[in-house]
């Protein structure tokens, strides 16, 4: 039975209130105003349960993992490996052997570039990127290509900001070793059709590395369904602590790869002149890992599951639609990226107001947005502006906050054209 | 500290109607400076003869603060000796650090940038053209030594 729209609104408003209560930072006032946090693509806020998980580890069972034969070490190992299982479940990885904890998505991609790229990309080979890549999924491949004598190709976008899939198909050649592509653009909000692209790439014998930094926090991601060879994402953009990210890799590919870092934890045995590598995933986790952060990230994943993807996605879809509609009412506002079927990073410019000036103005109103090139300089070059303003949303944002943003932009227009 | 102290009328005026904007043909020195965090860019052109800045222009793009700062700076530097330009540079930096009482006679319109020191993240915007000036003066003295 369908409920009346008004009752849906009422119940979701009630839920949102309780959700926002889980984020103590909403009590913070910025420049005397209530915080309106619209910089979620840079980093998300942290619910109390994540901080609680960190606190418990540090105060109740602090010990190293996989080595001590004592109670606390066993407990720490149990929680750390439990976190790996939680993350595997989150993205539907076949096993914990596919889940490597890194410092962030950037380090995960660098791991692939070194441990896979240095051995598989050779002189004359090609690496395919898209023009909408974040620097984290661009610079590692650019430098690898330079070192290995390979060529980079960038797939362009159409005027709405969607990827030119035909062009991608044409650029695939027998030399293409890797397609590195973002799942969701951190500037345009474009969501790329990964499943279709992995099918094209694999038919060509090309591996696919997906930057999931903006997708995993916002919608359910199934790596087996997408069939990507690698996926990288960061914990801090999905309610988790800083200092932890995840590299997912297919077991067949990870098995063939050399380690990235050498040292303790990643070995089975060490002789004077050679060593035997540990099994997956430990082969790629040298030294004491980010124990607390991984445990905190699992608490974040649990929190997201608790909210539920259905609720989270419908809340975000409503906010995205509302934000784009309200921003569209502002004279001189240029919006970048698709209008529909898109993610929650919403980028724009207002007349001749520089995004930095706009950001400083909005900051005085308690509103946090991002201004600059958002680590996507080639994309800005492609589109024209040196810098843009970005409001990026998460499920805990509200329509009322968007109203304050729009009002703030209107005030800024009046102020800077006075 | 209010926004009208940061974005004074005179700053907005220089932003909308920049002085000495454009390229300078036959410039003795040109330097590029950018702020990698925000993407603000400036190219500063100086024509120097007998230790005097005969002409100065700038091109680039950026926020109101960086662009107004460039406009105000070029207005003050034109016709000054290198020694006087260096003195002005040091005085401007003192003002940005909140260390020196700003001297309007020396700074001209650039005194309007004083309010920026209350917004620490924006100080680098105001400083960008002045950092470029320091580079240009250094480049010029190297050129003089090598010739």
């Amino acid at each position: 039975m369908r409920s009346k729209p008004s009752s849906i609104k009422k119940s979701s408003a009630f839920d949102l209130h309780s959700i926002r209560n889980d984020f103590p930072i909403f009590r913070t006032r910025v420049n005397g105003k209530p915080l309106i946090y619209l910089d979620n693509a840079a980093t998300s806020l942290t619910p109390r349960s994540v901080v609680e998980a960190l606190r418990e580890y540090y105060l109740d069972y602090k010990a190293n993992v996989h080595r001590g034969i004592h109670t606390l070490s066993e407990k720490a190992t149990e929680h750390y490996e439990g976190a790996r299982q939680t993350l595997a479940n989150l993205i539907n990885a076949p096993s914990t052997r596919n889940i490597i904890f890194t410092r962030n998505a950037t380090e995960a991609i660098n791991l692939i570039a070194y441990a896979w790229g240095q051995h598989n990309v050779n002189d004359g080979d090609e690496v395919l990127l898209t023009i909408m890549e974040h620097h984290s999924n661009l610079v590692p491949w650019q430098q690898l290509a330079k070192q290995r004598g390979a060529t980079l190709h960038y797939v362009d976008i159409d005027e709405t900001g969607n990827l030119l899939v035909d062009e991608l198909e044409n650029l695939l050649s027998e030399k293409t070793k890797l397609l590195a592509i973002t799942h969701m653009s951190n500037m345009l909000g474009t969501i790329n059709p990964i499943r279709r692209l992995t099918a094209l790439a694999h038919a060509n014998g090309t591996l696919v590395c997906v930057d999931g930094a903006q997708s995993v926090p916002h919608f359910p991601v199934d790596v087996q369904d997408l069939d990507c060879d690698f996926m990288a994402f960061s914990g801090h953009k999905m309610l988790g602590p800083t200092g932890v990210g995840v590299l997912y890799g297919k077991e067949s590919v990870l098995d063939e790869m050399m380690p990235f870092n050498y040292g303790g934890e990643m070995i089975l045995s060490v002789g004077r002149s050679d060593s035997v590598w540990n099994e997956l995933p430990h082969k790629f986790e040298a030294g004491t890992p980010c124990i607390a952060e991984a445990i905190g990230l699992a608490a974040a994943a649990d929190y997201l599951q608790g909210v539920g993807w259905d609720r989270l996605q419908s809340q975000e879809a409503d906010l995205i639609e509302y934000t784009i509609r309200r921003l569209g009412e502002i004279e001189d506002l240029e919006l970048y990226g698709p209008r529909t079927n898109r993610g929650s990073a919403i980028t724009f410019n207002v007349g001749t107001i520089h995004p930095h000036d706009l950001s400083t103005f909005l900051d005085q109103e308690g509103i946090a947005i991002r201004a600059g090139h958002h680590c996507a300089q080639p994309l800005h070059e492609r589109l024209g502006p040196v810098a843009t303003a970005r409001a990026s949303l998460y499920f805990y944002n509200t329509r009322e906050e968007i109203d304050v943003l729009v009002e703030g932009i209107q005030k800024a227009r009046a102020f800077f054209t006075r | 500290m209010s926004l009208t102290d940061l974005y004074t009328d005179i700053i907005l005026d220089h932003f909308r109607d920049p002085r000495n904007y454009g390229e300078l043909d036959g410039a003795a020195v040109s330097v590029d400076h950018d702020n990698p965090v925000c993407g603000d860019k400036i190219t500063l052109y100086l024509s120097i003869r007998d230790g005097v800045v005969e002409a100065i222009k700038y091109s680039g793009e950026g926020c109101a603060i960086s662009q107004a700062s460039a406009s105000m700076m070029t207005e003050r530097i034109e016709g000054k000796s290198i020694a006087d330009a260096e003195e002005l540079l040091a005085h401007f930096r003192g003002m940005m650090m909140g260390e020196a009482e700003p001297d309007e006679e020396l700074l001209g319109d650039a005194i309007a940038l004083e309010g920026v020191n209350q917004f620490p993240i924006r100080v680098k915007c105001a400083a960008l053209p002045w950092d470029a000036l320091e580079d240009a003066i250094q480049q010029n003295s190297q050129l003089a030594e090598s010739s």
Side-chain angles (χ1 to χ4, degrees):
Chain A
M1 199 189 85
R2 276 182 71 120
S3 349
K4 286 178 202 155
S6 65
S7 70
I8 288 174
K9 264 208 173 123
K10 239 186 191 164
S11 77
S12 74
F14 175 74
D15 290 337
L16 204 53
H17 181 74
S18 80
I19 281 171
R20 286 171 70 90
N21 271 338
D22 294 334
F23 294 79
I25 202 168
F26 284 125
R27 284 190 230 123
T28 302
R29 291 179 86 80
V30 175
N31 295 313
K33 305 277 172 59
L35 165 69
I36 295 183
Y37 187 76
L38 301 174
D39 196 15
N40 293 286
T43 197
S44 62
L45 302 176
T46 316
R48 204 180 270 109
S49 62
V50 168
V51 180
E52 203 47 41
L54 294 171
R55 195 201 66 82
E56 275 171 25
Y57 168 69
Y58 280 119
L59 299 187
D60 299 346
Y61 62 96
K62 175 80 199 289
N64 213 327
V65 292
H66 299 140
R67 44 202 95 188
I69 309 294
H70 58 79
T71 306
L72 291 192
S73 175
E74 226 168 87
K75 185 168 177 184
T77 305
E78 207 175 281
H79 280 261
Y80 178 67
E81 289 306 322
R84 202 189 302 277
Q85 185 64 57
T86 302
L87 271 298
N89 295 346
L90 182 77
I91 58 168
N92 194 33
S95 113
T96 52
R97 294 167 63 84
N98 306 97
I99 302 293
I100 296 151
F101 284 120
T102 62
R103 200 158 53 86
N104 45 38
T106 300
E107 190 180 71
I109 294 168
N110 275 278
L111 189 161
I112 310 164
Y114 280 98
W116 178 84
Q118 292 285 355
H119 305 276
N120 289 281
V121 175
N122 297 307
D123 198 33
D125 284 344
E126 294 176 2
V127 174
L128 200 49
L129 309 175
T130 82
I131 195 64
M132 65 177 98
E133 294 316 306
H134 185 281
H135 295 165
S136 61
N137 200 26
L138 190 160
V139 184
W141 305 118
Q142 178 190 66
Q143 294 307 309
L144 175 77
K146 264 178 89 171
Q147 289 160 20
R148 306 291 302 166
T151 309
L152 287 184
H153 290 292
Y154 290 89
V155 184
D156 202 8
I157 49 175
D158 65 19
E159 66 285 353
T160 60
N162 285 309
L163 191 73
L164 290 169
V165 176
D166 290 350
E167 186 178 301
L168 185 146
E169 207 172 348
N170 290 334
L171 282 168
L172 281 170
S173 78
E174 75 270 15
K175 296 175 188 161
T176 316
K177 286 292 164 69
L178 181 82
L179 167 63
I181 182 165
T182 184
H183 201 168
M184 174 184 142
S185 162
N186 72 312
M187 180 197 165
L188 298 171
T190 309
I191 297 168
N192 285 317
I194 300 299
R195 190 168 19 163
R196 197 171 144 208
L197 301 179
T198 49
L200 288 172
H202 288 161
N204 191 61
T206 301
L207 296 195
V208 180
C209 165
V210 178
D211 171 2
Q214 300 294 344
S215 61
V216 176
H218 295 278
F219 46 88
V221 169
D222 179 335
V223 287
Q224 294 189 70
D225 178 57
L226 295 174
D227 199 27
C228 53
D229 301 280
F230 300 109
M231 177 172 282
F233 57 97
S234 285
H236 68 94
K237 292 190 204 289
M238 48 177 287
L239 312 182
T242 57
V244 59
V246 171
L247 169 64
Y248 160 83
K250 276 188 186 167
E251 200 170 327
S252 55
V253 186
L254 293 176
D255 262 337
E256 294 299 312
M257 280 160 57
M258 286 291 284
F260 175 38
N261 289 318
Y262 300 102
E265 184 86 26
M266 52 75 63
I267 43 79
L268 276 184
S269 66
V270 177
R272 286 189 180 215
S273 57
D274 211 352
S275 300
V276 180
W277 313 136
N278 203 339
E279 57 182 27
L280 287 175
H282 310 293
K283 179 170 98 174
F284 294 105
E285 290 182 4
T288 295
C290 43
I291 304 167
E293 291 83 356
I295 292 168
L297 178 53
D302 285 342
Y303 188 93
L304 290 171
Q305 306 276 15
V307 173
W309 287 116
D310 284 349
R311 209 152 62 125
L312 188 152
Q313 281 184 283
S314 70
Q315 169 71 10
E316 274 195 23
D318 176 72
L319 269 179
I320 294 167
E321 190 268 329
Y322 186 71
T323 306
I324 287 181
R325 180 151 50 86
R326 292 295 328 269
L327 289 178
E329 293 166 10
I330 299 170
E331 207 183 315
D332 303 338
L333 186 139
E334 187 179 359
L335 196 72
Y336 303 95
R339 298 297 185 272
T340 54
N341 298 319
R342 49 121 67 229
S344 52
I346 300 174
T347 300
F348 55 91
N349 261 324
V350 186
T352 55
I353 306 175
H354 191 277
H356 256 174
D357 299 320
L358 180 64
S359 186
T360 292
F361 187 94
L362 294 175
D363 182 47
Q364 294 300 305
E365 305 284 319
I367 307 167
I369 62 157
R370 174 89 185 259
H373 52 59
H374 323 302
C375 296
Q377 272 181 313
L379 180 56
H380 276 77
E381 222 165 81
R382 161 72 177 79
L383 294 168
V386 173
T388 51
R390 180 184 70 191
S392 54
L393 320 169
Y394 213 1
F395 61 95
Y396 41 58
N397 289 123
T398 66
R399 283 186 172 214
E400 288 71 29
E401 290 178 322
I402 301 306
D403 291 338
V404 179
L405 169 72
V406 170
E407 202 181 308
I409 296 172
Q410 297 285 23
K411 279 194 216 164
R413 283 186 72 242
F415 179 81
F416 286 110
T417 55
R418 70 181 189 263
Chain B
M1 194 72 196
S2 84
L3 281 168
T4 39
D5 297 321
L6 177 64
Y7 296 104
T8 57
D9 289 344
I10 189 83
I11 287 178
L12 291 187
D13 178 59
H14 276 266
F15 177 54
R16 291 189 197 119
D17 179 21
R19 332 297 199 245
N20 302 308
Y21 190 88
E23 293 178 17
L24 184 62
D25 289 335
V29 192
S30 80
V31 291
D32 294 319
H33 256 244
D34 63 359
N35 181 341
V37 181
C38 58
D40 282 2
K41 301 179 197 192
I42 184 172
T43 305
L44 193 62
Y45 308 88
L46 275 79
S47 175
I48 300 168
R49 191 181 299 185
D50 302 329
V52 173
V53 182
E54 285 196 319
I56 178 167
K57 284 194 156 204
Y58 76 99
S59 63
E61 48 188 311
C63 63
I65 305 294
S66 71
Q67 298 302 293
S69 180
S71 173
M72 292 163 166
M73 181 190 80
T74 55
E75 231 180 20
R76 293 310 282 179
I77 293 296
E78 192 170 29
K80 275 207 163 47
S81 69
I82 295 291
D84 286 351
E86 281 175 328
E87 188 198 339
L88 177 57
L89 175 65
H91 186 73
F92 176 83
R93 285 186 170 157
M95 175 175 82
M96 281 294 107
M97 308 287 282
E99 287 165 357
E101 193 57 40
D103 177 351
E104 187 163 5
E105 214 164 296
L106 204 56
L107 290 158
D109 286 355
I111 196 167
L113 292 163
E114 188 190 6
V116 180
N117 69 23
Q118 298 301 311
F119 292 78
I121 14 177
R122 303 304 299 276
V123 165
K124 63 185 186 309
C125 306
L128 182 71
W130 299 80
D131 292 345
L133 176 67
E134 183 180 36
D135 246 22
I137 291 173
Q138 257 173 24
Q139 241 187 57
N140 181 64
S141 68
Q142 280 163 5
L143 278 176
E145 274 167 30
S146 62
S147 67

